[in-house]
């Protein structure tokens, strides 16, 4: 087991690699690729794709250490039985969950847009958590999976910073996990929300967790 000290805000954090999992939130084609759901809503997907290279470097490094890597995907069953009406009935009718989009039915499991982008594709032995909500703990097996691996710390990255990353960090914090968020491995369509989201995590002595960047984690791993 290696113990790492990672430079972070509001203060450095010490983590043991065997008790730490990397959770990559929703790096799905529909959110990140031109022609996907995010782009069809008028968003500039380049703002999210900036996070891909840092995530890749982080993934390569933590995989080399044998650390647990978990991927998540936001999406629903084809019959929408796991999608609350209040969620489905939001936004322009033609762009709602389940409607045909540029990459298949929007946010439906098994559709091309629901899949993870090729650059960050999960390895065969890496768990993929399909989640119907914004948070990765709601209605999923994530907590029991982490408990089985005796995980105490999470490195949480992915998209979008203020929605699914933030919700997951809040859920994890309430369940007793220490969360470290590398800001350059996260992205938002709204830069001010990205900055505010990271600011909220580290404020008040790290009320939800710690904020760092991929370089600091890599340097902690290689020290
Ligand atoms: C995620 C969303 N993944 N913004 N979803 O953040 O709806």
């Amino acid at each position: 087991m290696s113990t790492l000290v990672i430079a972070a805000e509001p203060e450095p954090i010490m983590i043991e690699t065997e008790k730490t999992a990397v959770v990559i939130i929703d790096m799905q084609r529909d959110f990140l690729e031109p022609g996907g759901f995010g782009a069809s809503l008028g968003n500039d997907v380049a703002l999210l794709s900036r996070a891909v290279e840092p995530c890749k470097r982080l993934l390569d490094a933590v995989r080399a250490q044998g650390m647990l890597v978990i991927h998540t995907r936001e999406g629903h069953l084809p019959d929408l039985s796991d999608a609350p009406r209040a969620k489905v009935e939001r936004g322009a009718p033609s762009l709602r969950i389940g409607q045909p989009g540029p990459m298949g039915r929007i946010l439906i499991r098994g559709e091309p847009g629901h899949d993870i982008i090729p650059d960050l594709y999960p390895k065969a032995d890496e768990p993929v958590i399909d989640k119907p909500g914004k948070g990765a703990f709601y209605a999923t097996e994530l907590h029991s999976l982490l408990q089985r691996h005796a995980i105490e710390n999470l490195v949480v990255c992915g998209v979008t910073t203020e929605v699914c990353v933030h919700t997951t960090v809040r859920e994890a914090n309430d369940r007793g996990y220490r969360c470290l968020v590398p800001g350059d491995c996260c992205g938002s369509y709204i830069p001010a929300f990205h900055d505010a989201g990271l600011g909220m995590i580290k404020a008040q002595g790290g009320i939800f967790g710690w904020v760092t960047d991929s370089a600091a984690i890599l340097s902690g791993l290689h020290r």
Side-chain angles (χ1 to χ4, degrees):
M1 166 140 36
S2 318
T3 302
L4 314 177
V5 180
I6 312 283
E9 294 179 278
E11 61 194 5
I13 178 172
M14 192 181 292
I15 56 172
E16 288 164 344
T17 50
E18 284 188 13
K19 295 183 180 171
T20 303
V22 176
V23 183
I24 307 192
I25 302 287
D26 301 357
M27 295 299 272
Q28 292 163 255
R29 298 184 61 200
D30 245 337
F31 292 122
L32 281 125
E33 289 190 1
F37 174 49
S40 74
L41 292 173
N43 292 305
D44 174 6
V45 291
L47 291 165
L48 301 198
S49 52
R50 277 182 210 160
V52 174
E53 273 307 312
C55 274
K56 232 170 124 180
R57 284 195 293 274
L58 181 67
L59 259 187
D60 288 345
V62 299
R63 280 171 172 157
Q65 293 281 328
M67 288 170 67
L68 178 63
V69 174
I70 299 170
H71 305 257
T72 74
R73 297 183 295 205
E74 180 177 354
H76 297 277
L77 297 168
D79 65 1
L80 297 181
S81 56
D82 61 350
R85 254 180 74 183
K87 184 176 181 187
V88 175
E89 290 178 353
R90 239 171 277 176
S94 62
L95 297 173
R96 287 180 179 168
I97 293 165
Q99 294 305 309
M103 293 192 205
R105 289 180 69 204
I106 293 168
L107 289 189
I108 297 298
R109 295 182 192 174
E111 298 287 341
H114 178 259
D115 209 356
I116 292 174
I117 57 168
D119 275 347
L120 299 176
Y121 213 73
K123 296 235 185 263
D125 61 346
E126 291 172 351
V128 179
I129 302 284
D130 278 317
K131 61 188 189 60
K134 302 303 182 196
F137 288 84
Y138 168 68
T140 73
E141 66 280 22
L142 179 59
H143 190 40
S144 57
L145 172 71
L146 296 172
Q147 286 182 313
R148 276 203 307 284
H149 286 268
I151 295 297
E152 296 176 359
N153 315 298
L154 302 180
V155 175
V156 187
C157 46
V159 299
T160 60
T161 316
E162 78 280 13
V163 184
C164 292
V165 171
H166 224 272
T167 307
T168 299
V169 166
R170 288 170 183 240
E171 288 180 329
N173 183 63
D174 281 348
R175 286 165 176 78
Y177 298 99
R178 297 155 85 227
C179 293
L180 177 62
V181 180
D184 59 331
C185 298
C186 302
S188 170
Y189 300 122
I190 306 165
F193 289 177
H194 173 80
D195 294 342
L198 297 176
M200 282 181 213
I201 290 167
K202 66 186 177 186
Q204 301 179 73
I207 198 143
F208 295 123
W210 287 255
V211 174
T212 187
D213 59 26
S214 56
I217 299 180
L218 264 54
S219 114
L221 281 168
H222 295 138
R223 205 172 291 138

